[in-house]
DNA sequence: GTGAAAGCGCTAACAT
DNA sequence: ATGTTAGCGCTTTCAC
């Protein structure tokens, strides 16, 4: 079934069939009817490959994810998929499968630059996609990793200062400040912090947020109450245990863990020490991972609008592909986060 | 950059460039060298769209998922992506987003048939893909849902009796039987069962497995110990509560919940009743969802080889696209599952 | 072993 | 308003 067959059946030229299908030129109602009839009759579907070759537009958006198994990735894809579908694009998915090679040292992506470039240029120069959305596994600066390929590139859940890219991330600093303020509002003053890997961008941003909340409240963060974790549950546990031992004469009334996994580890440590949660020590997490709904009591945490990040990234991509659009490069959208109240924060 | 440019630079014809790139015909070392040089020099990447048009092969595999947010989906995609990448294919992803419209009544997919057909024919007749992998959200029979489109269609994580499809699922009945046997081996005899929605395929298969394990052991399942849940955590809780009340004179020593969510609900109920877990009542789940590692003690459960399902589905798809392959339609691969020991099953 | 040229299915400029 | 036709970038037949 080709456009030629349809043209023959409808007794018109292929051009007319094309005009009808794409609405590119006016066609007499009578002929248009014959064409529509012929299409229905034959079940004709235009060959998108031929169309792409001719128009130099694939209607595909390449989605390059660092790892499909990252907890944030499917939510982001969900957002991308929703917008992309509305606008008539398809998703060409490419998984860099970084989780296995990097474990939780996602900051070492630089070493992966080659792999990324190769995947990217295959996608773009192979003319398979019109634009690319790069989906990171956490928010950090990946400037210099993504080369300019002459097509729109949007970075989701990470940022880059490169002028040829756009990015969509979330209010990290702001959200941490909000989390701490939430604890202040519940009456907590002596607050401990369990950080993520100290040299990583989210850990630093979140710490900035913590400090600014303290500053705004006219309080000071006790340095002895800051413990460095590595994002995993185990260090949440050990950091909390440390705190319980070294600060037993003056225990914090609340602890802010920079992610849910460490928060859950901290919860375990609190209970293992025979303390009540949240009455003796309150816990606040970050990420609103699925598990946070399953621990008991449900973890109070910060939700990142992952779907929104995906959706916005897709909007940015599609917008740049519209005929009359300016490039809009260098734009950096930052989405707000929100607190999900659970049962792990008590009023004092 | 086109093949023509490369040909000009290398002072050969476009045909020769093509021969060198694809290794389709022998080329004199001298000329081949010039071509390779020109390609390196220009960074030329063949236009895949043009190639596809000419060869009628896109090297894309359509992956139609019922919902990217289903807990199994990303693991299956991970498996697909791994094999597909090895074999030089790309993934064209399409999300049917059924989770929102169906909640947990995934058995009502029939109503979605139109949406599925449309997505499928767009993918296939639009000539965007060479084959399609349909990724279900749980294992059930979806015969008649997927129409024959003249290209290979593999169903992952569901089955169909349609002769034009292949499928890859897991040993459901076998796995449940193993789970019950695991409890037998730990010395349990009085075992309760919390089922999934009773009319769904996995619930029925798992019940068959339970019964066959009992039969093999020469024991009988007490009907009063079977409670019907709906796969969600809440019914796990209420079913367990029911059991604790009505059977308080002769409590079961173990309960097999047909998924982790209900198992976790049951755990909550056991503890709320002041009983010790696993000493007083042991719990066994199914699915090995991420949360099962976070509850305390870690849930003993059954792991489905989701990545393996994806990988095998991709193998099946790619194999059928190899030049000399027979169609291999109607094949139904069934993968084994395994038990993940946790801390919720005690010896009696 | 190599090149000329046809043609994959479509769109769009151009002619009518 | 509609048809004719060139051409998108590639592969592949056929002739040499």
């Amino acid at each position: 079934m080709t456009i030629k067959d349809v043209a023959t059946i409808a007794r018109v030229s292929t051009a007319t069939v094309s005009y009808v299908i794409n609405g590119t030129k006016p066609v007499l109602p009578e002929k248009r009817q014959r064409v529509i009839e012929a299409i229905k009759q034959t079940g004709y579907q235009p060959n998108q490959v031929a169309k792409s070759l001719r128009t130099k537009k694939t209607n595909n958006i390449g989605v390059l994810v660092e790892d499909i198994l990252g907890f944030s990735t499917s939510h982001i894809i969900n957002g991308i998929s929703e917008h992309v579908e509305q606008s008539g694009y398809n998703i060409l998915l490419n998984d860099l499968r970084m989780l296995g090679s990097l474990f939780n040292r996602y900051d070492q992506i630089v070493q992966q630059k080659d792999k990324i470039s190769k995947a990217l240029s295959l996608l773009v120069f192979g003319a398979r996609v019109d634009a690319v959305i790069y989906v990171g596994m956490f928010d950090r600066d990946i400037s210099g990793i993504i080369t300019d390929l002459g097509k729109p590139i949007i970075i989701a859940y990470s940022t880059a200062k490169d002028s040829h890219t756009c990015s969509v991330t979330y209010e990290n600093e702001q959200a941490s400040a909000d989390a701490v303020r939430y604890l202040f509002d519940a009456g907590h003053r002596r607050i401990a912090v369990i950080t993520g890997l100290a040299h990583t961008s989210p850990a630093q941003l979140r710490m900035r947020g913590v400090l600014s909340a303290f500053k705004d409240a006219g309080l000071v963060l006790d340095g002895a109450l800051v413990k460095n974790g590595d994002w995993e549950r185990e260090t949440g546990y050990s950091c909390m245990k440390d705190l319980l031992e070294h600060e037993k004469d003056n225990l914090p009334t609340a602890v802010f863990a920079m992610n849910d996994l460490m928060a859950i580890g901290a919860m375990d440590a609190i209970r293992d020490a025979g303390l009540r949660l949240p009455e003796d020590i309150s816990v606040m997490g970050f990420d609103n991972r699925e598990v946070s709904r399953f621990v008991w009591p449900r973890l109070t945490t910060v939700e990142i609008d992952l779907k929104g990040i995906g959706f916005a990234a897709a909007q940015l991509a599609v917008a740049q592909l519209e005929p009359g659009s300016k490039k809009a490069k260098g734009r950096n959208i930052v989405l707000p986060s929100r607190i999900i109240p659970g049962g792990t924060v008590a009023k004092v």
Side-chain angles (χ1 to χ4, degrees), chain A:
Chain A
M1 264 310 115
T2 73
I3 200 171
K4 226 171 152 183
D5 301 315
V6 174
T8 309
I9 293 174
R11 284 169 289 125
V12 296
S13 73
T14 60
T16 304
V17 177
S18 175
Y19 299 148
V20 170
I21 291 174
N22 302 303
T24 13
K25 283 198 179 178
V27 172
L28 283 187
E30 187 200 355
K31 294 198 174 183
R32 133 174 279 114
Q33 202 45 54
R34 292 215 303 271
V35 170
I36 291 174
E37 190 54 45
I39 290 176
K40 192 179 293 174
Q41 201 185 111
T42 55
Y44 167 73
Q45 289 263 17
N47 182 318
Q48 297 300 322
V49 173
K51 180 169 181 166
S52 294
L53 179 58
R54 183 59 232 242
T55 60
K56 310 227 152 294
K57 192 156 186 311
T58 62
N59 279 304
N60 290 157
I61 296 203
V63 174
L64 193 58
V65 304
E66 293 188 344
D67 202 304
I68 185 86
L69 296 178
F71 83 95
S72 48
T73 307
S74 27
H75 294 273
I76 296 176
I77 294 181
N78 180 38
I80 294 175
S81 133
E82 192 163 315
H83 185 265
V84 139
E85 188 177 293
Q86 291 172 33
S87 7
Y89 285 85
N90 283 103
I91 291 176
L92 204 63
L93 182 71
N94 200 312
D95 186 1
L96 292 166
R97 225 169 290 110
M98 282 186 184
L99 221 43
S101 43
L102 292 177
F103 185 49
N104 75 358
R105 310 301 304 259
Y106 313 126
D107 47 310
Q108 294 170 7
I109 316 272
V110 192
Q111 300 159 2
Q112 305 269 325
K113 194 176 167 181
D114 267 8
K115 198 174 173 188
I116 296 174
S117 297
K118 213 164 292 171
L120 222 46
S121 84
L122 229 61
L123 240 39
V124 174
F125 292 133
R128 281 191 252 248
V129 300
D130 301 329
V132 174
I133 300 177
Y134 181 93
V135 180
M137 263 188 307
F138 75 112
D139 72 311
R140 66 206 184 290
D141 190 325
I142 55 167
S143 298
I145 297 288
I146 292 175
T147 43
D148 191 354
L149 299 165
K151 298 211 175 166
I153 295 186
I154 324 295
I155 298 170
Y157 207 43
S158 288
T159 54
K161 289 192 281 286
D162 308 313
S163 60
H164 59 280
T165 60
C166 292
S167 70
V168 184
T169 42
Y170 61 98
E171 268 290 11
N172 212 339
E173 189 171 337
Q174 189 68 35
S176 312
D178 287 346
V180 172
R181 261 180 233 120
Y182 184 87
L183 294 173
F184 285 155
D185 290 348
H188 296 279
R189 289 299 175 268
R190 191 156 170 77
I191 297 172
V193 177
I194 300 177
T195 75
L197 279 175
H199 63 289
T200 62
S201 156
Q204 288 166 0
L205 288 173
R206 287 174 199 180
M207 187 49 98
R208 272 221 285 253
V210 169
L211 293 174
S212 81
F214 266 89
K215 198 175 158 205
D216 290 354
L219 298 166
V220 287
L221 172 62
D222 182 348
L225 296 186
V226 177
K227 295 286 171 190
N228 291 321
D230 72 353
W231 302 117
E232 301 298 323
R233 182 185 194 173
E234 288 68 27
T235 54
Y237 187 92
S238 57
C239 287
M240 192 69 226
K241 210 173 150 199
D242 250 34
L243 284 166
L244 294 173
E245 280 169 16
H246 292 98
E247 302 296 322
K248 60 172 172 289
D249 302 326
N250 190 10
L251 282 178
T253 64
V255 49
F256 170 46
M258 286 191 183
N259 75 1
D260 290 346
L261 266 40
M262 295 190 298
I264 290 171
M267 287 172 71
D268 293 338
I270 290 168
R271 268 196 285 248
D272 283 0
L275 295 169
R276 290 168 310 159
L277 182 77
E279 294 83 358
D280 294 327
I281 300 189
S282 292
V283 174
M284 177 107 197
F286 201 111
D287 280 348
N288 191 30
R289 282 181 74 142
E290 188 187 39
V291 286
S292 69
R293 289 194 299 283
F294 283 89
V295 291
W296 200 90
R298 186 179 163 143
L299 181 63
T300 298
T301 185
V302 177
E303 184 193 53
I304 301 170
D305 183 8
L306 295 169
K307 182 179 177 183
I309 289 178
F311 196 89
Q315 277 183 314
L316 239 36
V318 170
Q320 291 184 53
L321 297 173
E322 295 298 295
S325 81
K326 36 197 129 195
K327 287 283 153 274
K329 287 175 176 176
R331 269 192 74 186
N332 195 339
I333 296 181
V334 181
L335 264 42
S337 305
R338 60 189 247 266
I339 287 174
I340 306 290
T344 55
V345 175
K347 301 240 177 227
V348 302

